[in-house]
Amino acid sequence: MYFYKASGNRQQATGHQGIKFRSPDTRRLSPLNYMQQMLKDVYIETYGCQMNVADSEVVMSILADNGFKLTHNIDEAGLILINTCSIRENAEQRIWGRLKAIKHLKRKNKEIIIGLIGCMAERLKKRVLETDQLVDIVVGPDAYRELPKLVAEAESGHKAINVLLSREETYADISPVRMDKNGVSSFVSIMRGCNNMCAYCVVPYVRGAERSRDPESILKEVKELFNSGYREVTLLGQNVDSYKWNSDDNVLTFAVLLEIVAQVNPLLRVRFSTSHPKDISDDLLKTISRYNNICKHIHLPAQSGSSRILKLMNREYTREWYMGRINAIRSIIPDCALSTDMISGFCTETDEDHQASLSLMEWAGFDFAYMFKYSERPGTRAARKYKDDIPDEIKTKRLNEIISLQNKLSAISKRQDVGKVFEVLIEGPSKRSPDYFSGRTSQNKVVVFPGKGRKKGEYITVYIERCTSATLIGKILE
Ligand code: SAM
Ligand code: SF4
């Protein structure tokens, strides 16, 4: 569930996404009106995973209903929101640096309100509000409905904060303001929080307990997206396989939800993320294989190839179980692409454990992967119970070995596609030339091809002629 490159280091995930929308023409306003108008211009910078991107869209929708407008120019904004990520220490440090950098805007204009929202809110509220005085408001992921009220409080000179986590909030009734740039693919959040308690992970602490969103509201959102031209949705949750909706003694599972979303229209591609190896069911795999428009790509984070480490991580599966799930995917959906997440240097990891990770990756032949060094997060089970005992040089060395193996596997995966034909959904002009277009296969691989006169959102058939390390290059078959 990420918006960074298909292969390589997930550190790329934490790049900020300044939101590009046109702001009102402020030149014709009187100085007073100009000031009032500016206070209502909001600039949002989003860090972290796709879930945060989807959350920023919910935040913008709540603010738009209260008279705020998006601006892409931070210098024009009266309200600056930083949607934060806590997953690794380096993600937090980057945001910290960014907050310090934007504080200078307040020196130019004291009226500006700066807010920290999202995953860092609960953990760092005291430091950010009081000790370092970097922001005026702090709002946690379950309190976004309160934002207009909190902004008003901050405008009257008070620091405003709400970091309460909720057992119910899913923002089901809110129609997110779309911030993606291509107008073809969009995220749809189907659940929030997580109940899994993986030992290294801060998500259950900063985003709260798992709750599923009403399927009716999901369907409504998906239909609206399709009707406004979108051709791909990615259903998002920390563990989509545990999606559950109870109504009239019936339980609607993720496999059923995926099926009803796929039935919205055969021209709508459906993706989802993230699956958990302990929960992904054959039922789900069979659903994916039955529908042409459910994309043939599964992101199944392994984290480690060593059963001993997986146990310490509290992942609730073994290496053999994981391999069994991959075998099931390969037999039920033969053309399915597979990607994973790997962590190097978790507590007590030996060289043998690390070799087990490499051998699992090689065996699975992942098409791409997101790879990280273990980063201890305060309050997690690992931080409380285990020593972060792998020296940084060893974590880095192992991570580099994992990355170079994945580069090799990704190259093999792309070379295997040369000479094949794929249905591609066009996402827009390619960066390299206006005559070239770029799109994706069902397997989530990027394809570039000459496509003069073509439009984004169209499906085309492409013959793959060659590949680079990141891209397939082909030509359209009429
Ligand atoms: N819920 C998803 C899952 O279980 O696969 C992913 C959640 S997390 C936002 C994304 C990835 O970040 C994880 O799969 C894991 O590889 C990585 N991650 C989480 N906590 C980490 C930590 N403390 N240090 C390094 N990587 C971490
Ligand atoms: Fe974190 Fe594990 Fe939940 Fe994923 S499943 S969000 S890694 S606790």
Side-chain angles (χ1 to χ4, degrees):
M1 47 183 294
Y2 312 98
F3 53 83
Y4 34 80
K5 280 192 191 154
S7 66
N9 192 333
R10 183 138 2 117
Q11 262 118 18
Q12 292 158 350
T14 48
H16 73 71
Q17 303 220 319
I19 288 151
K20 309 245 184 294
F21 270 69
R22 191 159 341 135
S23 57
D25 185 353
T26 45
R27 285 164 303 183
R28 283 188 237 133
L29 298 171
S30 70
L32 180 65
N33 287 344
Y34 175 85
M35 204 58 231
Q36 282 169 343
Q37 183 60 68
M38 193 179 159
L39 287 177
K40 291 281 185 185
D41 279 358
V42 55
Y43 175 89
I44 310 183
E45 233 172 69
T46 306
Y47 292 79
C49 66
Q50 296 161 338
M51 207 67 148
N52 267 8
V53 176
D55 274 9
S56 287
E57 298 185 335
V58 165
V59 164
M60 197 51 233
S61 174
I62 291 168
L63 291 172
D65 285 348
N66 285 273
F68 288 82
K69 289 197 177 64
L70 266 167
T71 174
H72 66 273
N73 183 350
I74 194 166
D75 294 318
E76 277 179 2
L79 173 62
I80 299 169
L81 296 177
I82 309 293
N83 193 355
T84 58
C85 169
S86 266
I87 200 86
R88 281 167 294 276
E89 195 187 351
N90 60 6
E92 277 188 2
Q93 267 163 6
R94 283 188 64 193
I95 294 164
W96 219 244
R98 184 68 181 139
L99 286 174
K100 286 184 182 148
I102 53 182
K103 203 188 166 191
H104 79 272
L105 293 173
K106 265 207 136 28
R107 261 178 245 129
K108 281 198 245 158
N109 179 358
K110 282 199 177 45
E111 309 290 324
I112 288 175
I113 308 264
I114 300 175
L116 179 145
I117 63 174
C119 298
M120 278 168 72
E122 158 61 24
R123 247 176 54 63
L124 297 167
K125 54 184 184 284
K126 200 168 157 60
R127 177 169 164 203
V128 84
L129 265 181
E130 293 167 17
T131 319
D132 293 12
Q133 305 212 336
L134 291 174
V135 300
D136 308 290
I137 54 178
V138 172
V139 187
D142 288 343
Y144 295 146
R145 288 181 201 270
E146 294 289 297
L147 255 166
K149 202 178 97 198
L150 296 169
V151 172
E153 264 176 49
E155 276 171 354
S156 65
H158 301 106
K159 298 270 179 200
I161 178 164
N162 189 336
V163 293
L164 289 178
L165 291 173
S166 153
R167 290 201 160 266
E168 286 92 36
E169 181 62 272
T170 59
Y171 300 111
D173 55 313
I174 291 178
S175 276
V177 170
R178 299 295 159 191
M179 293 177 180
D180 54 87
K181 294 179 199 104
N182 68 8
V184 175
S185 50
S186 186
F187 301 129
V188 174
S189 171
I190 62 163
M191 56 207 293
R192 298 181 72 82
C194 184
N195 284 352
N196 278 321
M197 296 290 170
C198 300
Y200 50 81
C201 185
V202 79
V203 168
Y205 304 90
V206 295
R207 298 189 73 91
E210 180 183 290
R211 57 233 109 110
S212 297
R213 178 178 169 192
D214 180 345
E216 292 293 333
S217 73
I218 297 172
L219 265 185
K220 180 170 169 276
E221 189 176 329
V222 169
K223 285 177 185 164
E224 279 168 9
L225 282 166
F226 185 80
N227 292 336
S228 53
Y230 284 82
R231 289 296 173 263
E232 184 176 277
V233 291
T234 303
L235 307 181
L236 294 181
Q238 294 296 353
N239 176 4
V240 289
D241 305 287
S242 66
Y243 176 90
K244 200 161 52 174
W245 187 260
N246 297 304
S247 72
D248 310 329
D249 293 336
N250 288 323
V251 177
L252 192 132
T253 63
F254 180 60
V256 178
L257 177 73
L258 188 62
E259 181 153 20
I260 58 180
V261 171
Q263 285 167 352
V264 164
N265 197 299
L267 286 178
L268 180 74
R269 274 187 176 180
V270 188
R271 300 186 183 277
F272 57 90
S273 191
T274 304
S275 291
H276 197 301
K278 78 177 165 64
D279 293 324
I280 189 167
S281 66
D282 285 359
D283 242 16
L284 178 73
L285 302 181
K286 286 175 194 158
T287 304
I288 299 170
S289 78
R290 272 205 307 279
Y291 286 84
N292 188 39
N293 61 329
I294 302 182
C295 290
K296 305 297 180 271
H297 166 225
I298 295 179
H299 184 63
L300 198 65
Q303 315 296 2
S304 169
S306 153
S307 294
R308 188 184 74 83
I309 293 292
L310 288 170
K311 191 161 196 300
L312 278 184
M313 286 177 164
N314 197 32
R315 287 289 287 179
E316 297 184 40
Y317 55 85
T318 59
R319 174 188 176 95
E320 291 69 33
W321 172 272
Y322 186 88
M323 292 166 97
R325 293 290 72 208
I326 300 259
N327 283 335
I329 294 170
R330 298 260 186 248
S331 82
I332 298 171
I333 323 166
D335 57 341
C336 193
L338 273 166
S339 57
T340 197
D341 291 351
M342 297 300 287
I343 298 179
S344 80
F346 186 64
C347 314
T348 79
E349 187 187 69
T350 61
D351 205 42
E352 204 184 318
D353 295 319
H354 169 59
Q355 292 305 325
S357 289
L358 294 174
S359 71
L360 180 72
M361 291 173 72
E362 189 120 41
W363 175 84
F366 293 116
D367 297 276
F368 40 93
Y370 303 112
M371 299 154 282
F372 316 101
K373 273 197 285 191
Y374 171 59
S375 161
E376 186 179 82
R377 307 312 292 131
T380 56
R381 178 171 162 154
R384 282 182 279 117
K385 295 198 162 176
Y386 316 134
K387 192 160 168 244
D388 182 12
D389 58 352
I390 307 301
D392 194 59
E393 320 78 88
I394 297 190
K395 284 182 185 171
T396 305
K397 177 174 165 284
R398 289 180 184 165
L399 178 65
N400 287 340
E401 287 172 14
I402 287 174
I403 291 173
S404 74
L405 171 59
Q406 186 53 49
N407 286 343
K408 195 182 92 187
L409 298 175
S410 298
I412 294 172
S413 143
K414 286 195 193 68
R415 277 203 300 275
Q416 281 170 349
D417 289 342
V418 174
K420 292 187 187 162
V421 171
F422 291 93
E423 182 181 69
V424 171
L425 173 60
I426 303 181
E427 289 178 356
S430 127
K431 283 181 208 120
R432 66 185 226 172
S433 147
D435 291 341
Y436 275 74
F437 276 72
S438 159
R440 270 167 214 272
T441 64
S442 170
Q443 288 75 9
N444 207 25
K445 291 184 192 165
V446 176
V447 185
V448 170
F449 48 90
K452 227 175 168 182
R454 297 292 175 167
K455 284 197 216 70
K456 65 183 183 179
E458 255 182 74
Y459 287 98
I460 42 152
T461 307
V462 177
Y463 171 77
I464 307 300
E465 295 176 310
R466 60 198 170 88
C467 63
T468 66
S469 60
T471 314
L472 301 174
I473 299 159
K475 64 173 185 200
I476 298 178
L477 296 180
E478 294 304 336

